[in-house]
Amino acid sequence: MCVKNSEEPIEWFALSAPYRNELKAKALLDEQGVENYLPMQHKIVTDKKGKKVRKLMPVVSNLLFAHTTRTHLQEIKTGVHYLQYRTRVVNGRNVPIVVPDYQMKQFIAVCDTRNEQLIFLTPQEINLSKGTPVRVIGGMFDGVEGLFLKVKG
């Protein structure tokens, strides 16, 4: 179901699907015709027979994104306990996190490469502080912009 003829903007909402219900939430959004994104990666897991297999699984537990209007998403969420807004505090109130289209486009581009030969640099190899704006020049991520973050480990 696509939302048309609405004054309300179509936005990317960050959503939570607690208790590893990401795939169930994605299926619900797909069923409702809502564009959505669930970052996935290949992981080696042990199947029921004890054999190690390569399986496509969510990258981040409980996180997915929906591209629709807030009203339409609210209608879908009604009565669905496993789909919740990710929120942030603004002026003392929790408001849904909305990701700008250009940031979501870049995020999807980076996540969808599923390139297992990516090189991650250690903090000793680069001299940037947290929050420094960065832009990738060259390679498969050419033009992608973001903020540098240090991640433990």
Side-chain angles (χ1 to χ4, degrees), residues 11 16 37 46-47 51-52 56 58 63 65 69 71 74 78 81 85-86 88-89 102 110-111 114 126 131 135-136 148:
E11 301 173 294
S16 177
Y37 184 69
T46 305
D47 68 8
K51 182 179 176 185
K52 292 193 182 223
L56 195 58
L63 177 68
F65 302 88
T69 64
T71 300
Q74 195 60 44
T78 301
H81 69 280
Y85 288 110
R86 299 291 302 243
R88 64 187 176 102
V89 178
Y102 75 94
V110 170
C111 289
R114 295 194 186 110
I126 48 179
R135 177 184 298 141
V136 177
F148 176 75

Side-chain angles (χ1 to χ4, degrees), residues 47-111:
D47 68 8
K48 293 177 183 178
K49 298 177 183 177
K51 182 179 176 185
K52 292 193 182 223
V53 294
R54 192 169 184 240
K55 186 175 178 183
L56 195 58
M57 300 178 66
V59 173
V60 180
S61 295
N62 310 328
L63 177 68
L64 72 152
F65 302 88
H67 194 221
T68 189
T69 64
R70 185 170 180 178
T71 300
H72 188 218
L73 186 56
Q74 195 60 44
E75 289 170 5
I76 293 168
K77 284 176 33 47
T78 301
V80 179
H81 69 280
Y82 59 85
L83 187 61
Q84 303 168 2
Y85 288 110
R86 299 291 302 243
T87 61
R88 64 187 176 102
V89 178
V90 176
N91 296 327
R93 295 183 55 223
N94 287 333
V95 297
I97 294 173
V98 174
V99 181
D101 285 345
Y102 75 94
Q103 286 181 358
M104 198 64 203
K105 183 179 177 182
Q106 290 186 349
F107 177 71
I108 291 170
V110 170
C111 289

